[in-house]
DNA sequence: AGCACA
């Protein structure tokens, strides 16, 4: 077979009409405007692709309708005057594709901020420090923000800001589709793949150093004890629809309250999402309602999302309906601190969890101690390396560290470790025989059951419950 | 002068 026959067949099928036209012999770096000027007499142009080919002198034009493309091709086929741009003859044929596979989709426009999703892991599995470690191999990571996702979904997403698009591209090219090294992951994680595209962001607005967000360029940024950062997500929904005004205080209506719901119970439930600052229970319209105050809106939103419609107890008992309160700071009139000696602490010191959740509950002063005031004398590395493989300090994948290296100094200590998902009130509570059982996953909508904190115990027998008090009892 | 992008 001669080698030339393959080349001729390559162009034979270009006679098949398409609403996409292929234009060649264009002047060098012909503009889209020139292209449109040439083609628009024949129909409505819906897409173009200019400066194609090694010489950047080819282009594609897509008409809204096939007939429009046909009219242009047949016009110039029978015209004595060839199509011209800047005096140069332009050759026009039907493209061998039926549509322009689009100009770069948004995620492919290189920028300095990457949108990373880590598939196959949950919120507690990959710390922001691990993410930082992995991406620092390619250059100085300025900021990281993990996106607010409903806990329990099998992926994490984060925005990672580099200084420039080149660095970000290098990280993307090297890591897209790859996995985070096993030694940086908890045992239980199976496969874990990175999917990386470019974000349209250029500068992330990080408000706090927390386990959800970091600004490695600003050592003075306050540390947020609740460890839930607040501001990367737009307030508007994806469709631009306005959401109800958010608040750091949730209003909970408790339906079908067959069992006592005390402040302790509510604290146990709501602390799983962040430090609960104040709780008030009161009667309204014959029903029981409660106000739960978090330090910030994001935490409240997280709790609201996760708990809405769920029952504290199995069997549809004490179903929660959550909305945002108009309050932002509850006016607590009759503070009643829990005395540790009475043994009625709402939370045991669960593994890793209650340690920082409890203070905000027992003592209002300690609740405000964390935000904005990291203890200056605390000597800690910029991130918690505990539990990491010793090799974790080196860039993964054998990459040479960037010239910037790791920002290993000058940053504030990290917030206290977040309650690991496994450490969220996995208590220790005895459910009394015959008492309500924890709500089973069958009660929950799909996918959400895992992060619903285990229900707290029914209150001890004989203890007065909150809902029978006619005056609104208010507690810290 | 002869078909891109993922």
């Amino acid at each position: 077979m001669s080698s030339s026959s393959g080349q001729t067949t390559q162009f034979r099928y270009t006679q098949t009409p398409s609403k996409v036209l292929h234009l060649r012999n264009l002047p060098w770096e012909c503009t889209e405007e020139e292209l449109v000027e040439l083609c628009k007499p024949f129909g409505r142009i819906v897409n173009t692709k200019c400066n194609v080919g090694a010489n950047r002198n080819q282009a594609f034009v897509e008409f809204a309708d096939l007939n429009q493309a046909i009219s242009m091709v047949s016009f110039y086929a029978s015209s004595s005057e060839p199509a011209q741009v800047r005096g140069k003859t332009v050759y026009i044929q039907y493209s061998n594709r039926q549509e322009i596979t689009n100009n770069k989709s948004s995620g492919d426009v290189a920028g300095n901020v990457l949108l990373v999703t880590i598939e196959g892991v949950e919120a507690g599995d990959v710390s922001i420090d691990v993410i930082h470690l992995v991406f620092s191999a390619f250059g100085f990571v300025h900021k990281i923000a993990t996106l607010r996702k409903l806990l329990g979904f099998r992926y994490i997403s984060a925005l990672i800001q580099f200084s420039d698009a080149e660095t970000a591209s290098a990280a993307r090219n090297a890591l897209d589709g790859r996995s985070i090294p096993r030694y940086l992951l908890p045992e239980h994680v199976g496969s874990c793949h990175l999917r990386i595209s470019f974000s349209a962001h250029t500068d992330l607005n990080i408000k706090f150093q927390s386990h959800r967000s970091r600004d490695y360029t600003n050592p003075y940024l306050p540390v947020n004890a609740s460890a839930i950062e607040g501001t990367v997500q737009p307030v508007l929904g994806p469709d631009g629809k306005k959401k109800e005004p958010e608040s750091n205080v949730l209003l909970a209506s408790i339906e079908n309250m067959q069992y006592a719901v005390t402040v302790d119970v509510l604290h146990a439930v709501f602390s799983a999402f962040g430090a609960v600052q104040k709780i008030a229970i009161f009667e309204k319209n014959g029903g029981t309602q409660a106000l739960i105050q978090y330090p910030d809106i994001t935490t409240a939103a997280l709790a609201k999302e996760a708990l809405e419609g769920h029952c504290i107890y199995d069997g549809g008992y004490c179903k929660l309906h959550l909305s945002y309160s108009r309050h932002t700071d509850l006016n607590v009139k009759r503070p009643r601190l829990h005395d540790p000696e009475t043994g009625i602490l709402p939370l045991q010191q669960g593994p890793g969890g209650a340690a920082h959740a409890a203070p905000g509950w027992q003592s209002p002063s300690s609740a405000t101690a964390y935000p904005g005031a990291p203890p200056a004398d605390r000597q800690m590395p910029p991130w918690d390396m505990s539990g990491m493989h010793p090799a974790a300090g080196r860039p993964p994948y054998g990459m040479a560290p960037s010239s910037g290296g790791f920002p290993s100094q000058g940053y504030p200590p990290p917030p206290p470790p977040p309650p690991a998902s496994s450490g969220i009130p996995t208590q220790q509570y005895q459910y009394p025989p015959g008492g309500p059982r924890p709500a089973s996953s069958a009660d929950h909508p799909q996918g959400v059951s895992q992060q619903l904190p285990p229900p707290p115990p029914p209150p001890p027998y004989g203890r007065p419950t909150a809902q029978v008090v006619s005056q609104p009892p208010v507690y810290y």
Side-chain angles (χ1 to χ4, degrees):
Chain A
M1 294 301 158
S2 77
S3 58
S4 61
S5 64
Q7 286 185 349
T8 53
T9 53
Q10 182 181 348
F11 305 114
R12 193 162 290 152
Y13 54 78
T14 56
Q15 301 305 316
T16 307
S18 164
K19 57 185 176 6
V20 181
L21 299 183
H22 176 234
L23 297 86
R24 56 195 151 84
N25 202 36
L26 290 161
W28 183 77
E29 297 208 338
C30 165
T31 67
E32 185 182 27
E33 288 70 31
E34 290 171 310
L35 210 59
V36 169
E37 281 305 310
L38 176 69
C39 301
K40 76 176 182 191
F42 301 94
R44 186 167 66 88
I45 297 161
V46 295
N47 207 349
T48 63
K49 191 173 193 66
C50 309
N51 311 130
V52 168
N55 298 326
R56 301 176 68 76
N57 61 352
Q58 302 173 44
F60 297 92
V61 172
E62 180 177 340
F63 284 100
D65 191 88
L66 178 63
N67 290 330
Q68 298 166 348
I70 291 174
S71 74
M72 182 165 183
V73 168
S74 45
F75 176 85
Y76 284 112
S78 57
S79 169
S80 54
E81 295 288 315
Q84 290 187 329
V85 171
R86 297 188 214 168
K88 238 187 141 201
T89 296
V90 176
Y91 299 88
I92 303 171
Q93 284 179 294
Y94 299 112
S95 170
N96 54 23
R97 299 189 195 180
Q98 292 302 307
E99 57 187 21
I100 292 179
T101 46
N102 232 359
N103 293 323
K104 291 186 174 174
S105 65
S106 56
D108 292 326
V109 180
N112 63 320
V113 178
L114 295 178
L115 172 60
V116 177
T117 64
I118 309 170
E119 302 171 350
V121 295
E122 291 182 78
D125 294 339
V126 180
S127 72
I128 203 165
D129 300 316
V130 166
I131 296 173
H132 179 255
L133 192 63
V134 169
F135 283 85
S136 289
F138 304 91
F140 177 62
V141 172
H142 287 229
K143 301 173 183 180
I144 298 178
T146 54
L147 269 48
R148 188 161 60 78
K149 278 285 182 297
L150 203 51
L151 293 167
F153 284 83
R154 300 292 300 172
Y155 69 93
I156 295 172
S157 41
L159 294 164
I160 300 174
Q161 178 175 338
F162 288 98
S163 46
D164 50 61
E166 288 68 36
T167 313
S169 297
R172 183 179 109 114
N173 293 337
L175 295 179
D176 191 21
R178 307 277 308 264
S179 297
I180 292 179
R182 279 232 57 92
Y183 60 80
L184 294 174
L185 297 171
E187 291 284 329
H188 69 271
V189 172
S191 66
C192 152
H193 290 285
L194 296 165
R195 303 288 172 210
I196 305 177
S197 60
F198 292 104
S199 165
H201 287 94
T202 56
D203 191 22
L204 303 177
N205 183 15
I206 305 294
K207 291 293 207 300
F208 297 102
Q209 311 284 13
S210 78
H211 84 288
R212 303 207 28 159
S213 65
R214 295 291 169 83
D215 181 345
Y216 299 96
T217 68
N218 182 0
Y220 303 108
L221 202 63
V223 172
N224 186 0
S226 77
I228 306 286
E229 57 82 25
T231 45
V232 175
Q233 290 293 72
V235 181
L236 296 182
D239 305 330
K241 57 175 182 175
K242 200 82 167 276
K243 299 205 242 175
E244 62 175 306
E246 295 178 303
S247 166
N248 62 315
V249 178
L250 292 178
L251 173 64
S253 302
I254 305 169
E255 180 189 318
N256 192 18
M257 216 172 79
Q258 298 291 311
Y259 295 95
V261 173
T262 64
V263 288
D264 293 352
V265 166
L266 291 177
H267 180 254
V269 170
F270 284 83
S271 288
F273 305 94
V276 173
Q277 291 180 322
K278 300 174 187 178
I279 295 179
I281 302 180
F282 54 94
E283 301 285 320
K284 186 164 185 180
N285 304 330
T288 300
Q289 297 189 346
L291 292 165
I292 298 95
Q293 177 174 334
Y294 286 108
D296 58 75
I297 289 173
T298 309
T299 314
L302 199 62
K304 178 175 180 292
E305 241 181 314
L307 293 176
E308 169 59 37
H310 290 296
C311 300
I312 298 177
Y313 297 111
D314 194 9
Y317 300 121
C318 306
K319 187 173 185 176
L320 292 170
H321 293 287
L322 298 171
S323 60
Y324 293 110
S325 169
R326 291 184 305 277
H327 294 88
T328 55
D329 190 12
L330 299 179
N331 190 6
V332 179
K333 285 174 282 187
R334 191 161 60 85
R336 195 187 75 179
L337 300 181
H338 285 263
D339 185 351
E341 295 180 15
T342 64
I344 57 169
L345 269 174
L347 285 178
Q348 314 295 332
Q349 292 284 328
H356 76 276
W361 167 250
Q362 300 171 61
S363 159
S365 60
S366 65
T368 53
Y370 267 122
D377 55 347
R378 208 150 58 114
Q379 287 299 319
M380 287 179 66
W383 54 79
D384 184 5
M385 300 291 280
S386 63
M388 285 190 185
H389 188 280
R394 273 176 257 124
Y397 312 110
M399 301 286 177
S402 72
S403 55
F406 296 109
S408 57
Q409 290 179 334
Y411 299 109
S421 50
S422 60
I424 291 177
T426 318
Q427 331 81 26
Q428 282 116 359
Y429 283 122
Q430 302 286 331
Y431 288 94
R437 311 302 305 175
S440 68
S441 59
D443 294 323
H444 306 312
Q446 72 300 337
V448 187
S449 59
Q450 280 161 319
Q451 94 284 353
L452 183 67
Y461 295 120
R463 191 157 144 244
T465 58
Q467 83 277 13
V468 297
V469 182
S470 55
Q471 290 264 328
V474 188
Y475 306 88
Y476 275 104

